[in-house]
Amino acid sequence: MNKSYTDLVKQTFYFPQEGFDVTDGYLRFNGLDLKALIDKYGTPLKLTYLPKIGMQIDKAKKMFKDAFKKHRYEGKYFYCYCTKSSHFAFAVEEALKHEIHLETSYAYDIEIINRLYERRKINKDIHIICNGFKQKGYTSRIARLLNTGFKNVIPVLDNKEELDAYRRSVKVPFKLGIRVAAEEEPTFPFYTSRLGMRARDILEFYVDKIEGNEHKFQLKMLHIFLNKGIKDDIYYWSELNKIIHLYCQLKKICPELDSINIGGGFPIKHSLGFEYDYQFMINEIVRNIKSACKKAKVPMPNIYTEFGSFTVGESMAHIYSVVGQKVQNDRETWYMIDSSFITTLPDTWGIGERFLLLPINKWEEEYQRVVLGGMTCDSHDYYDSEEHINEVFLPKIVNGEPLYLGFFHTGAYQDQISGYGGIKHCLIPSPKHVIVEYDKNGKLVDWLYAKEQSSQSMLKILGYIK
């Protein structure tokens, strides 16, 4: 019986597959020589492969283009990047190279917009979708954008009172969106999303507050987002069809309304066994919208998406070394990594997220079931199961080089949730961060974006160094 890690993977999945292969005994990620990067920079290591961002954007654009052609869809498609997935300049600016638009969530996002404009990364024609529950600092910044000539900024109203802030401060005609509060899944602890307006209130709100003010502001967009993402199930299609139906009703009395924003929610690969038919889902979304509009005899809307995880998630990996092995009883073998899951991959701890885990080396060694442990003293700093097999199997540790582990497709939200830099649990430092990209001559280069966090930087934050 074959017991090497290579045998386990090939018996369980189709391998190699897109983004992953083994060359000379070492795993490669999008063709990158991970062992060479480990030798150069050491571990723990965060790695961002920027070309993947453009690949994802181009893939989605092509699929929507194909769906529009197949169904003879008459609207336009707008790809927006959800900045809260990764606010870093290298991510946002890479995405902007592929003719996309932006979605914001908080007041400080607008400061990023201003800086991008100053650096000539965007112009004032870009579409900026402003979401979220907005305090004065957010609405005033949105108003400033509008007043200075950003003509495609669309504040998406989260509540009825928000419109009053723009009435007072915006001096030019502008566009509006309304977020429709989605019904949550039956498994959620509450019934309706806290974000957005109730669908049954929107028609009345339009008639009372927006209709007749077309010279000042126009309702252009209905927006919906579902926490569980875009999935082929009754819940998703039911909620999508609710907003399509509402669009058809509103369109008959609001000729300016011309767009539906379906938010984000495309999943990314967190397992070698990942299966998702993106083209089928896009075809069905387009087909459903067209069918309802034809039936209601209203024009088909433009379709906006706000893909965050889909845009940047698959561009990053976290790489660790196994620095110790502990056998605590006859059933559990612990591999201790040189960092912490709580501080570097907080979703594994907070929401039980599972990322694509593969060893970098020792693919020809026998495998065993293990539990991965982080360096903090917290009992929850561990990683114990894979989405596809419900257990972690990794090569046995033998003499020679350490076992290196990669957690892949970690590019969305992890730095935002854990807090980049700053103070981490047990003062575990933020790992070094390496960027891989094409230079101006088309050559693939790697460079150090951030060093491993130092004790001095932490002591200064904590007040021990003045």
Side-chain angles (χ1 to χ4, degrees):
M1 179 179 177
N2 295 322
K3 289 190 175 181
S4 73
Y5 188 80
T6 296
D7 295 324
L8 172 67
V9 169
K10 290 186 175 180
Q11 289 166 9
T12 311
F13 311 108
Y14 293 107
F15 192 86
Q17 55 182 252
E18 181 183 355
F20 299 94
D21 66 273
V22 174
T23 302
D24 298 328
Y26 291 94
L27 182 71
R28 288 179 176 255
F29 175 51
N30 291 300
L32 294 178
D33 186 343
L34 296 177
K35 180 59 165 55
L37 292 171
I38 292 170
D39 290 343
K40 182 176 180 178
Y41 295 103
T43 65
L45 170 67
K46 290 192 297 185
L47 171 67
T48 297
Y49 178 67
L50 287 182
K52 187 66 176 181
I53 292 174
M55 292 166 63
Q56 292 291 92
I57 293 170
D58 293 343
K59 179 164 66 174
K61 282 187 172 183
K62 182 180 185 304
M63 288 188 292
F64 271 96
K65 181 179 179 180
D66 290 345
F68 277 29
K69 182 177 180 180
K70 176 179 180 179
H71 295 287
R72 297 181 180 178
Y73 193 82
E74 295 169 2
K76 297 179 181 179
Y77 172 62
F78 295 88
Y79 188 113
C80 300
Y81 170 57
C82 168
T83 56
K84 64 177 176 286
S85 300
S86 176
H87 288 101
F88 287 99
F90 58 76
V92 177
E93 291 180 7
E94 184 69 23
L96 286 168
K97 293 176 183 177
H98 298 269
E99 298 181 4
I100 54 100
H101 305 275
L102 298 174
E103 183 258 356
T104 66
S105 304
Y106 185 68
Y108 294 170
D109 277 317
I110 307 303
E111 300 301 327
I112 293 176
I113 301 298
N114 291 329
R115 188 56 59 91
L116 289 169
Y117 178 72
E118 290 171 7
R119 294 166 67 170
R120 298 183 179 180
K121 302 298 181 180
I122 61 173
N123 59 40
K124 292 185 177 182
D125 292 331
I126 189 172
H127 292 239
I128 302 171
I129 312 302
C130 301
N131 271 313
F133 189 97
K134 304 175 189 68
Q135 297 173 287
K136 184 178 179 180
Y138 195 179
T139 58
S140 63
R141 285 175 169 87
I142 292 170
R144 197 172 302 126
L145 284 181
L146 289 164
N147 289 332
T148 55
F150 282 83
K151 60 186 179 182
N152 290 314
V153 171
I154 303 180
V156 177
L157 302 181
D158 182 75
N159 53 72
K160 299 174 183 178
E161 294 72 29
E162 185 181 330
L163 179 57
D164 294 333
Y166 308 122
R167 282 178 181 269
R168 293 189 297 267
S169 55
V170 179
K171 309 302 181 184
V172 297
F174 63 99
K175 305 169 185 176
L176 285 171
I178 294 178
R179 179 160 179 167
V180 184
E183 298 301 313
E184 298 289 4
E185 287 183 278
T187 54
F188 252 66
F190 43 87
Y191 296 110
T192 306
S193 172
R194 74 187 188 284
L195 299 170
M197 300 186 200
R198 295 188 300 181
R200 68 184 185 184
D201 294 342
I202 290 175
L203 280 168
E204 181 180 351
F205 175 74
Y206 170 77
V207 172
D208 291 345
K209 300 295 185 180
I210 299 178
E211 191 175 34
N213 291 286
E214 291 82 4
H215 61 292
K216 296 180 180 178
F217 44 81
Q218 297 180 347
L219 178 62
K220 301 291 285 186
M221 174 185 291
L222 288 181
H223 182 292
I224 192 170
F225 176 76
L226 305 181
N227 284 320
K228 73 171 293 182
I230 299 174
K231 296 184 178 180
D232 184 19
D233 58 22
I234 293 174
Y235 167 71
Y236 179 77
W237 296 119
S238 173
E239 290 303 306
L240 178 66
N241 282 312
K242 284 180 185 177
I243 193 172
I244 299 171
H245 178 66
L246 180 58
Y247 165 83
C248 292
Q249 286 183 293
L250 264 172
K251 182 65 177 176
K252 292 178 179 179
I253 61 172
C254 177
E256 298 81 20
L257 179 65
D258 62 9
S259 300
I260 287 179
N261 189 329
I262 62 172
F266 264 176
I268 61 175
K269 182 190 291 186
H270 281 334
S271 158
L272 291 180
F274 174 79
E275 292 182 0
Y276 185 87
D277 193 335
Y278 293 100
Q279 189 66 71
F280 167 78
M281 291 300 296
I282 292 171
N283 284 341
E284 284 300 291
I285 289 169
V286 172
R287 186 187 65 79
N288 272 268
I289 295 175
K290 176 180 178 179
S291 176
C293 291
K294 284 289 187 182
K295 186 175 181 181
K297 298 181 180 179
V298 298
M300 300 172 214
N302 301 322
I303 299 176
Y304 285 71
T305 59
E306 297 168 356
F307 294 139
S309 293
F310 180 82
T311 305
V312 297
E314 294 191 8
S315 67
M316 181 180 277
H318 283 62
I319 299 173
Y320 311 103
S321 294
V322 175
V323 293
Q325 178 177 205
K326 300 181 72 175
V327 180
Q328 299 295 74
N329 55 47
D330 59 355
R331 296 183 59 190
E332 295 172 342
T333 297
W334 286 85
Y335 282 3
M336 304 297 293
I337 65 167
D338 56 351
S339 189
S340 161
F341 296 110
I342 289 176
T343 62
T344 59
L345 295 175
D347 275 351
T348 63
W349 169 65
I351 60 173
E353 183 68 271
R354 294 294 172 254
F355 293 102
L356 203 165
L357 165 63
L358 291 169
I360 308 300
N361 57 343
K362 301 187 185 294
W363 278 64
E364 297 309 316
E365 301 296 338
E366 290 189 18
Y367 62 86
Q368 62 179 339
R369 187 199 185 284
V370 300
V371 183
L372 299 177
M375 294 295 287
T376 72
C377 59
D378 194 298
S379 60
H380 290 91
D381 194 1
Y382 69 91
Y383 190 90
D384 186 39
S385 63
E386 281 272 21
E387 181 183 356
H388 53 283
I389 50 181
N390 206 37
E391 292 181 300
V392 171
F393 289 97
L394 289 170
K396 290 183 177 180
I397 296 177
V398 296
N399 294 331
E401 66 183 2
L403 175 62
Y404 303 116
L405 304 178
F407 282 76
F408 298 95
H409 299 174
T410 58
Y413 296 107
Q414 301 316 295
D415 282 317
Q416 274 64 23
I417 294 173
S418 68
Y420 192 75
I423 300 300
K424 302 290 194 297
H425 189 30
C426 291
L427 299 187
I428 302 294
S430 293
K432 61 186 70 68
H433 190 168
V434 172
I435 307 294
V436 179
E437 63 179 339
Y438 288 104
D439 66 13
K440 294 179 180 179
N441 299 316
K443 180 183 177 183
L444 204 61
V445 296
D446 57 82
W447 53 278
L448 187 64
Y449 175 79
K451 297 179 180 179
E452 183 173 276
Q453 190 179 16
S454 68
S455 60
Q456 296 297 300
S457 71
M458 293 189 196
L459 290 175
K460 186 173 182 178
I461 292 172
L462 292 169
Y464 293 100
I465 297 176
K466 299 300 183 181

